[in-house]
Amino acid sequence: MGIENDSQNATPRVVVIGGGFGGLHAALGLASSSVQVTIIDRKNHHTFQPLLYQVALAALSPADIAAPIRRAVHGKQNIDVVIGNVVGFDLEGRLVHLEEDLVVPYDYLVVAAGATHSYFGHDEWAQLAPGLKTLEDATEIRRRVLLAFELSERESLIEGRHCPLNFVIVGGGPTGVELAGAIAEISKNVLREDFRATDPRRARIHLLEGGPRVLSSYTEDLSASAQKQLEQLGVEVRTNTMVTNIEPGFVDVGAEKIESAVTIWAAGVKASALGAALSANIDQSGRAFVNDSLNIEGHPEIFVVGDLAHFEQNGTAVPGVAPVAIQMGQYVAKEIRRRVRKQPTKPFSYWDKGSMATIGRTKGIAQIGKIHLSGFLAWAAWLFIHLIYLIGFRNRFFVLLSWGWQYLSWQSGARLITGSDQLPGWRSHHEAETTPDRKRATG
Amino acid sequence: MGIENDSQNATPRVVVIGGGFGGLHAALGLASSSVQVTIIDRKNHHTFQPLLYQVALAALSPADIAAPIRRAVHGKQNIDVVIGNVVGFDLEGRLVHLEEDLVVPYDYLVVAAGATHSYFGHDEWAQLAPGLKTLEDATEIRRRVLLAFELSERESLIEGRHCPLNFVIVGGGPTGVELAGAIAEISKNVLREDFRATDPRRARIHLLEGGPRVLSSYTEDLSASAQKQLEQLGVEVRTNTMVTNIEPGFVDVGAEKIESAVTIWAAGVKASALGAALSANIDQSGRAFVNDSLNIEGHPEIFVVGDLAHFEQNGTAVPGVAPVAIQMGQYVAKEIRRRVRKQPTKPFSYWDKGSMATIGRTKGIAQIGKIHLSGFLAWAAWLFIHLIYLIGFRNRFFVLLSWGWQYLSWQSGARLITGSDQLPGWRSHHEAETTPDRKRATG
């Protein structure tokens, strides 16, 4: 069943798969044009992924960084939103297949399905070391981190033991660095006042990076600065360190076993399987090779944008970051408008406005052309850029308020553990690190 | 393992089970007194239950109505918080047993473990018709309600069909009435602009009540007013209507099958199993009978408060509402202080300040002594009272802002579907209600 595929139709149909940065900007760029746009996404919301780690570390609430896709396209009469899972394509018939035998025909297809975690063949690690791509990931990481402090407190109170409280983050890219810095911050500052028997400052945060330096997409001086800033926060950074196995309570690095109350995976991403489903040429990460119109080979009607696209500029693939996805989405909207009007095509090029990573509460690094910033200045620039991007959402208002409130009070109403009632039992496998050294008033 | 039980200890140990209204007020009432307090809860947060339905209907975010228990007792040096599941008691040895063989000794025990849904022996209905007691319940109901509209939109867009979009709420008490009113509001107002192909105003909301009138704890005139206000919002109220079975997509009322996209259970509660675990005399709902000191029989050191307590005043049991739990908690704190000081005991009595239920966005009923309010005035009183109760939380500030924002803009950043990726398949079992009557621009 489905809408009849009528290629004589006067209004070209554009189907956009994915409501992330790339898909949303492609759709919004086609608003009020003479095409009919349908956005298909598995979720009903656009997530501001660069701030996910703030949700994971309980500084922000999910609603602060996400907005229903319907609201983002509110008032755009030619844009529909459909919630559903894409299960395949009929490229010949120009059809997108959803579950339940639903089909959606297109004249132009924009695939912006993004990427997910890659465990490099060890999918069994996913349960032990969640990654950070969705709101659900963020609340799961939050649950694990806060519960680790809770169980440490309980152990200290009831059993008088102080067990190791280790957090291991695998991967020294932007997500790993941001998570490590944020866990260090909340351990040293925010949570200290919340707990009486355990001292959150005891927490050890390990950041494991397989390569020779963290944030390897930045210049060497900034990588070095980032590592120094992390170490100032108390993060133990280990480069050239490959994880060989992950078990409950442990991360193995060769023969060494690192105890870990919470392990977080920030080591690798792979593109959505929809790249392969398009029968496109894909790279090792599953990204579809696209030409300078962002089309896959042989299909000028199919565009791939964002993390799913492998687009080379000056000999290297552009990175999987929000500004790339946004610019690709905007380009595709303009290109489709040109084609509908039978105007000449123009090639895509990425304008790198610079990149930034934040470290802890008020530190970071930034690389803007030839300008390299470190520390507070980089952080202030980062804050400014992120708020600019959030324009148009209710969120900008609330994010500012949440931040302002948090900075003034160190309180965090977002510090809720939700989800599974299951308390992890990893503690019981551990030996006490020290003998009881703190006597309860009631003991 | 555990802390040694030393009854010669100079500082009496008070263990409070549950961080809801009753437990939290008992603990806070003992702050800065000469006892050591330990709050034990399965969750790390106190939930403002009267506003849970606003989270379920996407008007508020979880963090707006919940706060970590640690923050609620922040700065109280004699109050500890332990996250854990209570699995039993040793009344003789005065010990609380947690999972993992942990034990916590007490001199005074305050059991405030609350209540949960009762399906009257049909626990298999729980999955089909969730109740509303926790933040997780609220986000699950939100997920189902918003997904029902999403699937209806998808069906209209792709298949050109308009299937019935029915919501069935079982139980005409305060929770059922508030949920029904809120679903009617968002269908008629908030969601109307979000959807293009389906008209949320098509939604039919059924409120099924087994007894002769809704809100039966109120006077008959207010019950009648509530029903009228619900009907003005479009809710179909059916009294004297007993549900005989719940199936996927249907609610059976005797021989009649009511189609239901989302079924919500608001028909009954049962007390926590900890009442029975205390070997106390319990009533049909599992509530422990308590005397006028809120002690169970034979145990002057054990208090039961809140929804778990069966306390009779003027011949009837006081209701399971927040003000009762708060007053009981406050009383127990004072009573324990008296006993520690060897002062004479005083009996508990509940001071009924009145009760209110809200209906939709700006309606409600209120019963304050002899004063009966209906409509907007009742709603304004309700709003005022709730904000007063929220004092002391960051939340009051944010709730006000969220509300203000929502009222000004009709936008709702809280309208996120999170949780399971699974899209329910109930639609596919249904026959189309009408033939395609809306042609897509692209069709």
Side-chain angles (χ1 to χ4, degrees):
Chain A
M1 57 188 124
I3 305 160
E4 262 181 65
N5 195 355
D6 176 5
S7 57
Q8 303 308 311
N9 195 293
T11 310
R13 295 161 298 196
V14 179
V15 171
V16 177
I17 298 173
F21 286 113
L24 196 55
H25 280 84
L28 287 172
L30 290 165
S32 311
S33 72
S34 57
V35 301
Q36 171 63 33
V37 180
T38 302
I39 303 176
I40 301 174
D41 201 309
R42 284 179 299 174
K43 306 213 177 272
N44 84 325
H45 50 272
H46 170 79
T47 307
F48 194 84
Q49 284 193 354
L51 288 180
L52 265 182
Y53 81 98
Q54 298 245 11
V55 175
L57 276 308
L60 294 174
S61 292
D64 292 330
I65 67 150
I69 297 169
R70 298 197 175 284
R71 295 312 295 187
V73 302
H74 181 65
K76 316 298 184 198
Q77 290 301 320
N78 65 326
I79 305 181
D80 283 326
V81 179
V82 166
I83 303 300
N85 291 310
V86 173
V87 296
F89 302 97
D90 172 357
L91 300 186
E92 204 64 37
R94 297 194 179 175
L95 298 173
V96 176
H97 288 276
L98 305 184
E99 76 277 281
E100 293 191 28
D101 292 330
L102 298 174
V103 293
V104 183
Y106 62 83
D107 298 300
Y108 295 98
L109 178 65
V110 182
V111 186
T116 183
H117 325 295
S118 167
Y119 290 89
F120 306 126
H122 291 280
D123 287 347
E124 70 276 15
W125 295 352
Q127 191 55 36
L128 301 168
L132 182 63
K133 275 282 174 193
T134 65
L135 287 181
E136 288 80 5
D137 292 341
T139 47
E140 176 61 19
I141 289 175
R142 173 196 294 189
R143 194 179 77 83
R144 293 184 186 209
V145 170
L146 294 179
L147 262 183
F149 285 104
E150 288 291 348
L151 294 181
S152 176
E153 172 84 352
R154 183 170 93 178
E155 205 160 49
S156 302
L157 277 174
I158 299 184
E159 301 181 70
R161 302 193 302 168
H162 297 291
C163 284
L165 185 53
N166 287 1
F167 298 88
V168 178
I169 293 131
V170 184
T175 300
V177 166
E178 282 165 352
L179 282 168
I183 294 179
E185 280 287 0
I186 65 164
S187 309
K188 266 68 183 170
N189 296 307
V190 184
L191 295 178
R192 187 165 39 129
E193 292 182 13
D194 280 4
F195 293 94
R196 286 169 25 84
T198 195
D199 185 347
R201 287 175 295 181
R202 285 195 309 112
R204 290 178 61 184
I205 297 107
H206 298 274
L207 180 63
L208 312 183
E209 164 59 37
R213 58 192 177 97
V214 298
L215 298 176
S216 58
S217 64
Y218 291 77
T219 56
E220 283 192 29
D221 59 317
L222 286 176
S223 280
S225 168
Q227 179 162 347
K228 201 175 144 198
Q229 292 180 56
L230 284 166
E231 285 164 353
Q232 280 168 353
L233 287 172
V235 176
E236 299 171 40
V237 181
R238 293 170 64 170
T239 52
N240 296 310
T241 301
M242 297 299 287
V243 168
T244 49
N245 197 17
I246 297 179
E247 304 162 57
F250 295 96
V251 173
D252 296 352
V253 176
E256 183 188 0
K257 274 187 184 306
I258 304 174
E259 276 201 71
S260 180
V262 179
T263 309
I264 306 176
W265 187 259
V269 295
K270 64 178 176 212
S272 155
L274 291 188
L278 285 169
S279 312
N281 292 323
I282 57 176
D283 67 13
Q284 282 185 319
S285 314
R287 293 181 298 178
F289 287 100
V290 292
N291 64 20
D292 64 3
S293 300
L294 305 184
N295 290 128
I296 59 172
E297 196 183 342
H299 287 283
E301 79 283 9
I302 300 179
F303 300 86
V304 179
V305 305
D307 290 0
L308 183 54
H310 182 122
F311 173 76
E312 294 196 359
Q313 184 163 308
N314 305 326
T316 52
V318 296
V321 295
V324 169
I326 291 169
Q327 290 182 33
M328 285 178 160
Q330 291 169 334
Y331 164 84
V332 164
K334 286 185 191 149
E335 183 64 18
I336 290 175
R337 283 172 180 259
R338 283 192 286 266
R339 294 196 193 175
V340 169
R341 296 195 201 112
K342 318 274 185 217
Q343 291 169 343
T345 188
K346 287 185 187 177
F348 171 74
S349 78
Y350 169 55
W351 178 38
D352 184 358
K353 296 178 196 170
S355 47
M356 297 182 213
T358 177
I359 299 164
R361 207 165 70 106
T362 54
K363 293 183 166 72
I365 62 167
Q367 185 172 326
I368 305 161
K370 288 190 175 158
I371 304 168
H372 292 188
L373 302 176
S374 279
F376 181 76
L377 210 61
W379 178 84
W382 172 90
L383 182 64
F384 180 76
I385 296 283
H386 277 83
L387 290 179
I388 294 292
Y389 273 133
L390 280 166
I391 282 178
F393 288 102
R394 156 192 187 272
N395 301 334
R396 184 175 54 131
F397 180 67
F398 278 92
V399 166
L400 252 185
L401 276 174
S402 265
W403 275 344
W405 184 266
Q406 199 198 352
Y407 273 78
L408 289 173
S409 69
W410 278 117
Q411 287 191 26
S412 179
R415 213 138 67 236
L416 306 176
I417 301 175
T418 53
S420 163
D421 268 354
Q422 194 72 44
L423 300 175
W426 58 268
R427 273 293 173 200
S428 40
H429 309 302
H430 290 219
E431 287 305 306
E433 186 179 46
T434 57
T435 47
D437 63 356
R438 184 180 181 280
K439 208 161 163 60
R440 270 186 92 197
T442 56
Chain B
M1 56 190 125
I3 305 161
E4 262 180 64
N5 195 357
D6 176 3
S7 56
Q8 305 308 312
N9 196 293
T11 309
R13 294 160 300 194
V14 179
V15 172
V16 177
I17 299 172
F21 286 112
L24 196 54
H25 280 83
L28 288 173
L30 289 166
S32 312
S33 73
S34 57
V35 301
Q36 171 63 33
V37 180
T38 303
I39 303 175
I40 302 174
D41 201 309
R42 282 180 301 175
K43 306 212 178 271
N44 83 326
H45 51 272
H46 170 79
T47 308
F48 195 83
Q49 284 193 355
L51 288 179
L52 266 182
Y53 81 97
Q54 297 244 12
V55 175
L57 276 308
L60 293 175
S61 291
D64 293 331
I65 67 150
I69 297 170
R70 299 197 175 284
R71 295 313 295 186
V73 301
H74 181 64
K76 314 301 184 198
Q77 288 302 317
N78 66 327
I79 306 180
D80 284 324
V81 179
V82 167
I83 303 302
N85 291 310
V86 173
V87 296
F89 302 98
D90 172 358
L91 301 186
E92 204 61 38
R94 298 195 177 175
L95 299 172
V96 176
H97 288 277
L98 306 184
E99 77 277 284
E100 294 192 26
D101 291 331
L102 299 175
V103 293
V104 183
Y106 63 83
D107 298 301
Y108 296 98
L109 179 64
V110 182
V111 187
T116 184
H117 326 295
S118 168
Y119 289 90
F120 306 126
H122 291 280
D123 287 347
E124 72 276 14
W125 295 353
Q127 192 55 35
L128 302 167
L132 183 63
K133 275 282 173 192
T134 65
L135 287 180
E136 288 80 5
D137 292 340
T139 46
E140 177 60 21
I141 289 175
R142 173 196 294 189
R143 194 178 77 82
R144 294 187 187 206
V145 171
L146 294 179
L147 263 182
F149 286 105
E150 289 291 348
L151 294 181
S152 175
E153 172 84 353
R154 183 171 92 178
E155 205 160 49
S156 302
L157 277 174
I158 298 184
E159 302 181 69
R161 302 194 301 169
H162 297 291
C163 284
L165 185 52
N166 287 2
F167 298 88
V168 178
I169 293 132
V170 184
T175 300
V177 166
E178 282 166 351
L179 282 169
I183 295 179
E185 280 287 359
I186 65 163
S187 309
K188 267 66 184 172
N189 295 308
V190 184
L191 296 178
R192 183 164 44 126
E193 293 183 13
D194 280 4
F195 293 94
R196 285 169 28 82
T198 194
D199 186 347
R201 288 174 296 183
R202 283 195 309 113
R204 290 178 62 185
I205 297 107
H206 299 274
L207 179 64
L208 311 184
E209 164 59 36
R213 58 192 176 96
V214 299
L215 297 177
S216 58
S217 64
Y218 291 77
T219 56
E220 283 192 29
D221 59 317
L222 287 176
S223 280
S225 168
Q227 180 163 347
K228 200 175 145 199
Q229 292 181 56
L230 284 166
E231 286 164 354
Q232 281 168 352
L233 287 172
V235 176
E236 300 172 41
V237 180
R238 294 172 63 170
T239 52
N240 296 309
T241 301
M242 297 298 289
V243 168
T244 49
N245 197 17
I246 297 180
E247 304 163 55
F250 294 98
V251 173
D252 295 353
V253 177
E256 183 188 359
K257 275 186 184 308
I258 304 174
E259 275 202 72
S260 179
V262 179
T263 309
I264 305 175
W265 187 260
V269 295
K270 65 177 176 212
S272 155
L274 291 189
L278 285 169
S279 311
N281 291 323
I282 56 175
D283 69 11
Q284 282 186 319
S285 315
R287 294 183 297 178
F289 286 101
V290 292
N291 64 20
D292 64 3
S293 301
L294 305 184
N295 290 128
I296 58 172
E297 195 183 343
H299 287 282
E301 78 283 9
I302 300 180
F303 300 85
V304 178
V305 305
D307 289 0
L308 183 54
H310 181 121
F311 174 75
E312 295 197 357
Q313 184 164 304
N314 306 326
T316 52
V318 296
V321 296
V324 169
I326 291 169
Q327 290 181 32
M328 285 179 160
Q330 291 168 335
Y331 163 83
V332 164
K334 284 184 192 150
E335 184 64 17
I336 290 176
R337 282 171 180 261
R338 281 192 286 267
R339 295 196 191 176
V340 169
R341 297 193 201 112
K342 318 275 186 215
Q343 291 171 342
T345 189
K346 289 184 185 174
F348 172 74
S349 79
Y350 169 56
W351 178 36
D352 185 357
K353 297 178 194 167
S355 47
M356 299 180 209
T358 177
I359 299 164
R361 208 164 71 105
T362 53
K363 293 183 165 72
I365 63 167
Q367 186 171 325
I368 305 161
K370 288 188 174 159
I371 304 169
H372 291 187
L373 302 175
S374 278
F376 181 74
L377 210 59
W379 178 84
W382 172 91
L383 182 64
F384 180 74
I385 296 281
H386 277 83
L387 289 179
I388 293 293
Y389 273 132
L390 280 167
I391 281 178
F393 288 103
R394 159 191 186 271
N395 302 333
R396 184 175 54 131
F397 180 69
F398 278 90
V399 166
L400 252 184
L401 276 174
S402 266
W403 275 345
W405 185 264
Q406 199 198 353
Y407 274 78
L408 288 173
S409 69
W410 279 116
Q411 286 193 25
S412 179
R415 214 140 66 235
L416 307 176
I417 300 175
T418 53
S420 163
D421 268 356
Q422 194 70 44
L423 298 174
W426 58 268
R427 273 291 173 203
S428 39
H429 309 301
H430 291 219
E431 286 304 307
E433 184 178 47
T434 57
T435 47
D437 63 357
R438 183 180 183 281
K439 210 163 161 59
R440 270 186 91 196
T442 57

